[in-house]
């Protein structure tokens, strides 16, 4: 077989293995290693490339952002800041039709800016928001759909684990990727709030809910105590990166220290919770390092096979326009999103398209935002919508089926697709804070 044939078979084999339940890094690493061995008929070369991939990944300075931001997000989650922000948002939106849903989106957007995890957001707001919405007679499908839709903000608004993974695959600055994710994340949150308002006005039967009853207003001091810690943390992290005072690694370290200080001052961090946060940080960091190492050897395999160049020649031979290439790319992302998780999609597809994007003189930062938003739509679509599964398992309510969660999330997946089209049409939206 030629290297091209081996490369194509290896990509298909990786997708098949992941869909069959094989751990992503193992599928990527094992198939890539065997493919290099077959292409060069040299076991030693394959082994050396694997050692280089491991060394390059572990020794990369910017890799330190992963444990630091992960630890910060876990501390914030365990300190109860998400619940505080939600309570303030609920008070502000209480009189609007679908107001609790809007509050959930707003609180999720703020929570995402200090956690970077859609799974954490889905878990926290399933416990906090869904019971309250159902108690106010909102339709269960709408309630879980709002949480599912807004949970994906955690993967777009920085600090985001997916943006970090993309930055390693595309060899881009983590700090630049974070800044590029701010405006698209805010756009998506605003689009969600607008969609909820439209649903409340034009499809009230889907939303449900009853008029707001007397609600105890918070004092200015209570609002400040619940919001200022989170706002301060966001300013420290994103403000430090934007002004250039802090690198992404330094911002992660500072954010983790400030988050821990906030948790201690609020007396919301027990020694047991602190130890759990440390252990979970280690588990997540090890898993992501394994992913990045596997992606590195996979990229080398694709380069040896010549698949990216072959794809570039194929599209150039057909005189494909920018629009056609982006349509193909987005459709591929949407299709894979029904089968694979976001990290798998980024690790498999991005190395194939990077040379093509570079040849077209397009921004790899912008391409990263398009990739993450496109892949995140898969979190809301069956059969493998991870956020939907997290919500169902966290909710533990037999009255709400997994189908209800997916159907409730469907309008928000459509809103994401519209935002993605806008981001493709206007690349400057993703790059505005970098200029």
């Amino acid at each position: 077989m030629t290297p091209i044939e081996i490369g194509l078979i290896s990509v298909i084999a990786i997708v098949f293995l992941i869909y069959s339940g094989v751990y992503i890094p193992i599928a990527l690493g094992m198939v890539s290693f065997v493919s290099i061995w077959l292409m060069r008929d040299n076991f030693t070369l394959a082994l050396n490339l694997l050692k280089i991939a491991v060394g390059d990944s572990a020794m990369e300075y910017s890799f330190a952002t992963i444990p630091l931001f992960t630890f910060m997000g876990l501390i914030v989650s365990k300190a109860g800041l998400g619940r505080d922000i939600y309570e303030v948002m609920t008070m502000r939106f209480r009189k609007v039709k679908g107001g609790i849903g809007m509050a959930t989106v707003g609180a999720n957007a703020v929570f995402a800016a200090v956690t970077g995890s859609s799974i954490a957001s889905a878990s926290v707001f399933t416990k906090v928001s869904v019971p309250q919405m159902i108690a106010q007679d909102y339709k269960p499908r709408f309630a879980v759909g709002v949480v599912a839709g807004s949970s994906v903000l955690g993967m777009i608004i920085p600090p985001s684990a997916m943006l970090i993974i993309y930055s390693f695959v595309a060899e881009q600055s983590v700090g630049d990727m974070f800044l590029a994710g701010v405006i698209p994340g805010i756009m998506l949150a605003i689009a969600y709030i607008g969609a909820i308002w439209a649903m409340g006005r034009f499809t009230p039967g889907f939303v449900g809910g009853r008029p707001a009853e007397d609600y105890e207003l918070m004092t200015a001091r209570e609002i400040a105590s619940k919001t200022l810690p989170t706002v301060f943390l966001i300013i420290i992290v994103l403000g430090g990166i934007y002004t250039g005072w802090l690198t992404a690694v330094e911002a992660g370290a500072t954010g983790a220290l400030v988050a821990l200080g906030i948790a201690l001052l609020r007396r919301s961090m027990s020694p047991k919770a602190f130890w759990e946060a440390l252990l979970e940080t280690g588990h997540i960091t090890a898993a992501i390092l394994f992913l990045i190492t596997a992606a590195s050897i996979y990229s080398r395999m694709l380069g040896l096979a010549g698949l990216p160049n072959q794809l570039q020649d194929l599209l150039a031979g057909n005189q494909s326009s920018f629009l056609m290439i982006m349509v193909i790319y987005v459709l591929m992302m949407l299709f894979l999103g029904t089968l694979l998780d976001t990290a798998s999609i980024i690790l498999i597809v991005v190395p194939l398209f990077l040379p093509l994007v570079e040849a077209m003189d397009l921004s790899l930062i912008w391409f990263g935002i398009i990739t993450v938003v496109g892949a995140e739509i898969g979190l809301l679509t069956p059969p493998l919508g991870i956020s939907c599964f997290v919500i169902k398992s966290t909710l533990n309510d037999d009255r709400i089926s997994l189908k209800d969660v997916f159907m409730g999330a469907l309008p928000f997946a459509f809103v994401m697709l519209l935002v993605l089209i806008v981001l493709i049409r206007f690349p400057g939206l993703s790059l505005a804070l970098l200029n």
Side-chain angles (χ1 to χ4, degrees):
M1 288 190 294
T2 65
I4 290 290
E5 291 172 335
I6 293 174
L8 284 172
I9 292 172
S10 67
V11 173
I12 295 170
I14 287 169
V15 173
F16 174 77
L17 288 174
I18 293 174
Y19 189 58
S20 299
V22 177
Y23 189 39
I24 302 165
I26 292 176
L28 278 173
M30 180 177 64
V31 174
S32 300
F33 180 84
V34 172
S35 298
I36 293 172
W37 184 6
L38 292 175
M39 280 188 285
R40 291 293 184 263
D41 193 23
N42 190 329
F43 178 80
T44 304
L45 173 63
L47 193 62
N48 286 337
L49 287 178
L50 180 59
K51 289 191 290 186
I52 292 171
V54 174
D56 288 351
S57 302
M59 298 302 292
E60 184 74 33
Y61 171 70
S62 56
F63 179 76
T65 56
I66 294 173
L68 293 171
F69 279 114
T70 299
F71 182 67
M72 181 184 75
L74 291 171
I75 292 295
V76 166
S77 179
K78 293 179 182 298
L81 295 185
R83 180 182 292 272
D84 287 349
I85 292 295
Y86 174 75
E87 289 175 357
V88 174
M89 290 285 185
T90 301
M91 185 192 71
R92 291 299 181 189
F93 286 96
R94 67 191 185 281
K95 292 184 178 179
V96 182
K97 181 71 172 178
I100 299 182
M102 296 178 186
T104 301
V105 173
N108 241 322
V110 176
F111 191 65
V114 288
T115 60
S117 170
S118 60
I119 303 303
S121 295
S123 178
V124 168
F125 287 97
T126 297
K127 297 174 184 176
V128 172
S129 179
V130 173
Q132 185 170 343
M133 278 195 274
I134 292 178
Q136 294 291 323
D137 292 337
Y138 283 88
K139 298 295 184 182
R141 283 191 177 182
F142 173 77
V144 292
V146 168
V147 174
S150 57
S151 70
V152 302
L153 295 171
M155 289 302 186
I156 301 167
I157 297 177
S160 159
M162 291 304 109
L163 292 179
I164 293 175
I165 289 176
Y166 174 85
S167 70
F168 277 94
V169 174
E171 298 181 354
Q172 298 298 302
S173 163
V174 175
D176 287 348
M177 288 304 307
F178 281 178
L179 292 178
V182 173
I183 291 178
I186 294 173
M187 280 178 55
L188 185 58
I190 293 173
Y192 278 163
I193 291 175
I196 292 172
W197 176 86
M199 284 187 277
R201 183 178 179 88
F202 300 109
T203 58
F206 175 74
V207 176
R210 50 185 165 82
E213 301 172 350
D214 292 338
Y215 197 93
E216 184 178 348
L217 295 175
M218 296 182 187
T219 64
R221 184 174 180 178
E222 288 175 320
I223 293 174
S225 68
K226 290 178 179 292
T227 57
L228 288 182
T230 303
V231 171
F232 177 67
L233 187 56
I234 294 172
I235 291 173
I236 289 291
V237 174
L238 296 184
I241 294 175
Y242 181 68
T243 58
W245 291 349
L246 300 173
T247 65
V249 174
E250 292 166 346
T254 305
L257 180 62
V258 171
L260 185 58
I262 291 171
L264 293 175
L265 288 173
R266 291 162 56 98
R267 298 181 180 179
S268 55
M269 177 61 60
S270 66
K272 180 181 178 182
F274 177 72
W275 178 246
E276 289 174 350
L278 286 175
L279 285 179
E280 198 168 344
T281 298
H283 293 158
I284 293 172
T285 302
I288 293 179
L289 177 59
F290 201 3
L291 275 172
I292 292 171
T293 299
S296 180
I297 188 68
Y298 171 68
S299 297
R300 286 172 167 81
M301 183 274 292
L302 289 179
L304 287 174
L307 272 182
N309 292 333
Q310 190 79 3
L311 177 63
Q312 183 177 336
D313 293 341
L314 176 64
L315 293 175
N318 292 329
Q319 296 182 334
S320 301
S321 64
F322 164 78
L323 178 61
M324 180 59 65
I325 291 172
M326 293 313 299
V327 168
I328 293 171
Y329 186 67
V330 170
L331 288 176
M332 183 180 295
M333 302 286 283
L334 294 178
F335 170 72
L336 290 176
T338 64
L339 304 172
L340 307 174
D341 63 281
T342 308
S344 301
I345 296 170
I346 292 174
L347 297 176
I348 292 171
V349 177
V350 169
L352 281 170
F353 277 82
L354 277 181
L356 178 62
V357 174
E358 289 180 300
M360 296 177 67
D361 199 27
L362 298 172
S363 168
L364 294 184
I365 298 291
W366 162 82
F367 186 66
I369 299 301
I370 298 303
T371 299
V372 172
V373 174
E376 286 299 298
I377 297 176
L379 289 180
L380 307 179
T381 54
L384 193 68
I386 295 176
S387 283
C388 296
F389 278 97
V390 170
I391 289 169
K392 172 58 181 170
S393 61
T394 304
L395 196 59
N396 196 24
D397 188 340
D398 293 335
R399 295 175 299 174
I400 301 177
S401 66
L402 184 60
K403 178 183 176 182
D404 290 327
V405 181
F406 277 121
M407 292 302 293
L410 194 60
F412 297 95
F414 179 71
V415 171
M416 280 193 78
L417 182 59
L418 294 180
V419 171
L420 178 61
I421 293 171
V422 172
L423 292 174
I424 293 173
R425 178 64 181 83
F426 302 101
L429 292 171
S430 302
L431 305 174
L433 295 182
L434 299 176
N435 298 327

